[in-house]
Amino acid sequence: MELTTTYKDGRLDLTFYGELDHHAAREAVQKIGQAIDSYLPRDCVMDFASLSFMDSSGIAVVLGTHKRMVEVGGRAWVVNVPRQPMKVLTASGIYRIVEIAEAV
């Protein structure tokens, strides 16, 4: 999996590519934490458009990002979720905690 970060005008965009599994989740959590600590954004958008697979480890990434953003006084949400990752998100009930939108 690849993760790119872009920051502009108080918004941190996280774009995920490939497969978000247990191994990739560890790296993603570290990279996301560093980006949030560096920029202290108001908003954090996790774009899953190019994510081809996600297992339950992705739930931890989404929840961890949400929690960290709340700690810094911001908010996080997920956008552009393909079918397979959406099944995982829906089954987890995470949409009750973190907003899932079609696009920004």
Side-chain angles (χ1 to χ4, degrees):
M1 187 204 69
E2 182 182 343
L3 172 64
T4 61
T5 62
T6 308
Y7 179 78
K8 183 177 180 183
D9 298 329
R11 186 171 108 184
L12 177 63
D13 289 313
L14 307 171
T15 306
F16 295 76
Y17 300 90
E19 298 185 357
L20 181 53
D21 57 14
H22 177 71
H23 177 71
R26 284 183 177 188
E27 292 176 24
V29 166
Q30 289 178 349
K31 188 170 185 176
I32 293 166
Q34 290 171 349
I36 291 171
D37 290 344
S38 294
Y39 299 116
L40 297 174
R42 283 187 316 270
D43 298 304
C44 181
V45 179
M46 294 171 271
D47 190 337
F48 282 6
S50 297
L51 194 64
S52 59
F53 172 82
M54 183 177 88
D55 65 15
S56 60
S57 301
I59 300 301
V61 172
V62 173
L63 285 176
T65 302
H66 167 74
K67 180 181 176 188
R68 187 67 189 111
M69 286 301 298
V70 169
E71 289 172 355
V72 300
R75 64 188 182 128
W77 66 94
V78 182
V79 298
N80 303 321
V81 184
R83 187 172 155 188
Q84 189 278 329
M86 183 61 90
K87 286 183 179 182
V88 176
L89 294 173
T90 302
S92 74
I94 199 168
Y95 55 86
R96 291 177 281 201
I97 299 168
V98 180
E99 181 180 351
I100 300 172
E102 289 193 25
V104 179

